[in-house]
Amino acid sequence: MSNMRRKDRETAPYPDWLDDILDCIRADKSVRKDFDHGGRLHIDRPLPFLCVHVLRGREDLAARDVSAAHASYLIVDDVEEALPIIDAVGNVLRERFGAFMLLDIDELEHDTLITADAPYLPPFEIRLLSTDDAAAEQAATALAEGADIEQVKFRTPYVKSFELAADPQAMALAQGTGFPLVAVRFAPIYRQPESGHIYPDLRERLVANIFDAGLKAFAAFVGATQTLKLTTHRALGRKAFVDAVSRADRSIDDVASTFDFLLAVTPINADAAWREFKANRFRRAPQFLYRPLSVQVEAEKRKLFSVAFDRFEDPVLYHLYREKQQELDLQLSLISARETGRFVEFSRALYGPVEPSLHRIAMDILLKTEKFVHGDEGGEDEAGIADCFEVETAARHMIEQYRQQYAGFTAEIELRDDLPSGLLVSGERLLISRHTRMDRSRIHALLSHEIGVHLLTYFNGSAQGLRLFRSGLAGYEGMQEGLAVFSEYMAGGMTVGRLRLIAARVVACAAMLDGRPFPETYGMLVDEHAFAPTAAFNLSLRLYRGGGLAKDAIYLRGLLELLTHLKAGGALDPFWMGKISAAHFIVMQELSLRGLLKAPVIRPAFLTHPQAQARLDKAWAGLTPLDLITS
């Protein structure tokens, strides 16, 4: 049949648009051609396969989304429309790679295994068919094994093989083109059987997992035919994102840019509040004052939920942006509840509670470091104290060093009167409070924290092409702060006082979430854990700002996650690509393998410290937080 069609082309050449497509493929250019009735040919890059879905007048099928998630796919309304396109494209790709296969994806008409009176949810049917060549059979086997997955909750797949002749569509595609073919048909379990309404979460899981099984089928075919060298099946995914992703990325970033979350909940009268607290003999919580909110919360929420993700054609990116949308919604709810009783509950939802295991580790750190405390935590010699101007000078020097690595490192520094003592990164700005006074020996470590991690990942994320990686994937803050604390150790600046502060934040955060008032938490830090009055006040301020912010527990939690990751042999490099959480590490690796992410344009300067490699080796061997002050 394939020979017959090639003979026909001698008298009936391809239309101009198809010849143009073939020229693009031969020139390694991407292809995106729309057809009538919602059809499309999309080729991210030349690959030895094509995913095919035949619409037959149907709409809103999960099978269409599975097909469109692949790097190379054809969606058409009927088989006859598909055949000449497949024949032309397939022959060009087979000539290039030496082999070519089709993956035909569709849905069964009904979820035949579900019954109204079932005492539990039975398995759902997946049918597999393939041509009888060895490579296609290996691909079908890989798809069957890949479809037997746990992530599709509620229902488990029942995979059954059928003869190709049992499916007219698959038979027509195989006979009409002569290419190796695998066909998969799955039950529409994402639809309610009576009404046809969608289970959105189930649909999302089903699409992602059938898609991944399809990648495994392609990888098995590639392995059997030796057409490409692969490190993982995920390398066969897309290497470019569609315009819909760029549009949604800008829209999400526009909403995120309308407010600065931490500045919105940080008091502007810290010094006056401290004086008030002292005047009241530490018995009454001080009154905190805040900046007026410049964001119209409801308007931004409307914009946020008007962002469409349904044309992403990429389950991984779809999931990342849905997560970010939900996180921004929670942040907007949190700042709108500032200074109300709802604030602490939104805060708990955003950052989580203090787990008993985390609290035990924090208490252990405080108890085992008591012997290093001499009545006044942070009571350094005045001669060793640096003011905000000395910190600013050191920060400008470090920023200039990073700018020499990468001209796009355009960080700015602002000295502010409206911040408590310390430093804060907001976007591309390093904010330094004019009230800052700190141990001079701690400057380099603290700047490694703020500049070497927070600003570095912002600019590396900016270089990725999607703003999401600079503003941060959902839940990124825990790992960011864990990396930042670890950077202080790598820079040789982790001290007993610093580790005690990080541990005390966890213990005090637990007290705040348990409903203890500000004066009691302050008193606990001073009387039970020997913190200096000013240090205890500043720590309490951070926790009770806005009405109770649970953020400060993430520093120790993130550090523990990072140390666990390193002990398991994990690398640091993916974390420098942008602002990500530990949960996104595998996702970042996949996107990197697919070519959607670039290597970090800047690497942290603390990695070049003379003792950096030795310290990193110790972390890979296994470290506890207490080891950071003795290693």
Side-chain angles (χ1 to χ4, degrees):
M1 188 68 175
S2 184
N3 290 334
M4 179 68 70
R5 299 187 70 85
R6 284 199 294 274
K7 184 177 179 181
D8 290 345
R9 289 202 305 271
E10 295 175 4
T11 56
Y14 294 136
D16 290 344
W17 62 264
L18 188 49
D19 277 331
D20 291 342
I21 285 172
L22 300 181
D23 289 341
C24 285
I25 294 172
R26 293 186 183 102
D28 286 344
K29 294 180 180 178
S30 62
V31 172
R32 194 170 175 86
K33 170 71 175 176
D34 289 335
F35 306 122
D36 294 337
H37 310 295
R40 176 179 296 132
L41 174 65
H42 175 96
I43 298 178
D44 179 276
R45 63 196 185 280
L47 289 164
F49 55 78
L50 186 69
C51 186
V52 180
H53 173 64
V54 180
L55 293 166
R56 302 201 310 274
R58 298 166 297 171
E59 296 181 356
D60 197 30
L61 295 182
R64 186 193 194 284
D65 293 347
V66 175
S67 303
H70 284 282
S72 183
Y73 71 83
L74 173 66
I75 296 174
V76 289
D77 197 49
D78 60 64
V79 171
E80 286 303 312
E81 182 184 1
L83 290 176
I85 300 171
I86 295 171
D87 183 70
V89 170
N91 278 296
V92 168
L93 292 170
R94 182 171 61 181
E95 182 178 339
R96 174 168 180 162
F97 292 103
F100 177 79
M101 76 163 278
L102 297 174
L103 175 60
D104 175 19
I105 296 182
D106 212 333
E107 299 180 16
L108 300 173
E109 289 296 324
H110 305 288
D111 184 12
T112 55
L113 295 183
I114 191 168
T115 57
D117 60 349
Y120 59 92
L121 291 174
F124 70 94
E125 184 178 8
I126 295 180
R127 297 182 185 177
L128 286 181
L129 313 96
S130 74
T131 50
D132 58 5
D133 49 288
E137 289 175 347
Q138 289 185 40
T141 299
L143 198 152
E145 294 172 351
D148 188 16
I149 31 83
E150 298 176 355
Q151 289 88 339
V152 176
K153 294 184 177 179
F154 316 115
R155 303 282 297 276
T156 56
Y158 171 71
V159 183
K160 186 175 181 181
S161 295
F162 284 78
E163 293 293 328
L164 194 64
D167 191 292
Q169 177 178 298
M171 191 71 175
L173 288 171
Q175 290 186 339
T177 65
F179 295 124
L181 175 142
V182 174
V184 58
R185 309 286 186 253
F186 56 87
I189 61 170
Y190 62 94
R191 291 185 185 276
Q192 298 178 24
E194 296 85 9
S195 66
H197 293 161
I198 302 295
Y199 297 113
D201 180 61
L202 187 53
R203 175 176 176 145
E204 182 182 335
R205 291 175 183 273
L206 185 65
V207 168
N209 287 296
I210 298 293
F211 162 68
D212 193 66
L215 287 182
K216 290 176 179 176
F218 287 141
F221 178 82
V222 164
T225 56
Q226 297 295 299
T227 50
L228 292 172
K229 292 183 178 180
L230 293 179
T231 54
T232 170
H233 67 287
R234 295 184 183 277
L236 294 173
R238 289 171 178 253
K239 288 187 178 292
F241 43 81
V242 297
D243 290 342
V245 175
S246 297
R247 289 194 297 271
D249 180 68
R250 289 193 298 271
S251 298
I252 289 287
D253 189 68
D254 286 345
V255 173
S257 301
T258 59
F259 65 101
D260 188 306
F261 174 69
L262 285 181
L263 283 180
V265 298
T266 298
I268 60 176
N269 65 327
D271 282 357
W274 168 236
R275 292 193 295 270
E276 176 192 342
F277 190 51
K278 282 198 298 183
N280 289 317
R281 299 175 182 266
F282 314 113
R283 295 172 183 166
R284 192 168 68 203
Q287 180 181 10
F288 294 129
L289 303 178
Y290 301 91
R291 299 162 185 79
L293 288 180
S294 59
V295 59
Q296 295 182 336
V297 171
E298 294 306 320
E300 294 308 317
K301 283 198 173 190
R302 284 194 295 272
K303 292 179 188 176
L304 180 64
F305 285 101
S306 70
V307 180
F309 304 137
D310 56 342
R311 299 300 181 195
F312 269 32
E313 301 183 1
D314 191 318
V316 173
L317 291 177
Y318 173 88
H319 185 64
L320 293 181
Y321 280 92
R322 279 288 305 278
E323 284 184 331
K324 187 63 177 180
Q325 184 185 52
Q326 292 161 4
E327 182 181 73
L328 286 171
D329 174 44
L330 192 51
Q331 288 180 338
L332 285 165
S333 296
L334 184 59
I335 62 174
S336 70
R338 190 177 65 180
E339 297 185 275
T340 72
R342 304 189 315 278
F343 185 92
V344 69
E345 296 310 322
F346 283 125
S347 168
R348 194 194 308 264
L350 185 60
Y351 293 109
V354 174
E355 309 92 314
S357 59
L358 181 64
H359 190 271
R360 284 194 299 271
I361 291 170
M363 284 296 297
D364 186 59
I365 290 171
L366 291 174
L367 290 171
K368 289 181 177 177
T369 54
E370 276 185 351
K371 60 185 177 182
F372 298 106
V373 179
H374 303 291
D376 188 358
E377 189 88 15
E380 299 90 346
D381 183 356
E382 194 68 20
I385 299 298
D387 62 13
C388 65
F389 301 107
E390 188 171 345
V391 175
E392 178 192 19
T393 298
R396 292 194 184 281
H397 177 69
M398 184 176 286
I399 288 172
E400 182 56 36
Q401 287 181 316
Y402 279 114
R403 190 176 289 123
Q404 290 174 10
Q405 272 195 63
Y406 173 56
F409 197 94
T410 54
E412 300 176 358
I413 297 177
E414 291 183 16
L415 291 180
R416 303 280 291 250
D417 291 312
D418 59 347
L419 292 175
S421 176
L423 284 68
L424 173 68
V425 165
S426 175
E428 60 185 15
R429 299 176 299 160
L430 175 65
L431 310 181
I432 304 175
S433 168
R434 291 185 184 274
H435 308 292
T436 297
R437 291 172 58 77
M438 62 181 297
D439 187 336
R440 186 172 286 115
S441 65
R442 283 272 306 146
I443 293 177
H444 181 72
L446 189 58
L447 293 180
S448 295
H449 177 125
E450 302 290 353
I451 299 174
V453 173
H454 295 327
L455 283 174
L456 178 139
T457 51
Y458 176 88
F459 287 106
N460 276 340
S462 296
Q464 295 297 348
L466 291 177
R467 301 177 188 181
L468 179 67
F469 294 104
R470 77 178 188 192
S471 61
L473 303 185
Y476 79 92
E477 288 179 289
M479 182 52 69
Q480 268 280 294
E481 298 300 354
L483 285 165
V485 171
F486 187 71
S487 77
E488 298 178 39
Y489 161 71
M490 292 290 287
M494 180 56 68
T495 64
V496 172
R498 177 62 169 167
L499 187 61
R500 282 179 59 80
L501 179 66
I502 291 166
R505 287 175 177 176
V506 171
V507 174
C509 183
M512 181 272 292
L513 290 175
D514 284 344
R516 293 179 67 169
F518 184 105
E520 283 190 25
T521 299
Y522 167 85
M524 173 189 70
L525 292 169
V526 173
D527 299 334
E528 298 178 29
H529 301 297
F531 275 80
T534 53
F537 177 80
N538 288 330
L539 197 161
S540 301
L541 176 150
R542 290 172 59 99
L543 290 165
Y544 286 84
R545 54 183 162 167
L549 189 65
K551 178 179 184 289
D552 274 8
I554 69 175
Y555 291 79
L556 183 58
R557 184 188 295 129
L559 177 62
L560 290 167
E561 287 181 346
L562 178 62
L563 293 177
T564 299
H565 168 78
L566 292 173
K567 185 178 180 180
L572 285 175
D573 273 1
F575 291 119
W576 311 134
M577 292 179 179
K579 295 182 183 292
I580 70 170
S581 75
H584 294 126
F585 188 80
I586 293 175
V587 170
M588 296 294 281
Q589 286 182 314
E590 175 183 343
L591 295 177
S592 181
L593 283 168
R594 285 164 50 183
L596 279 173
L597 292 180
K598 306 171 186 175
V601 292
I602 329 161
R603 286 176 57 81
F606 54 77
L607 293 178
T608 63
H609 188 282
Q611 298 299 316
Q613 189 58 53
R615 290 173 181 143
L616 196 52
D617 288 342
K618 290 179 181 178
W620 278 324
L623 288 175
T624 68
L626 280 167
D627 293 330
L628 301 186
I629 56 176
T630 59
S631 297

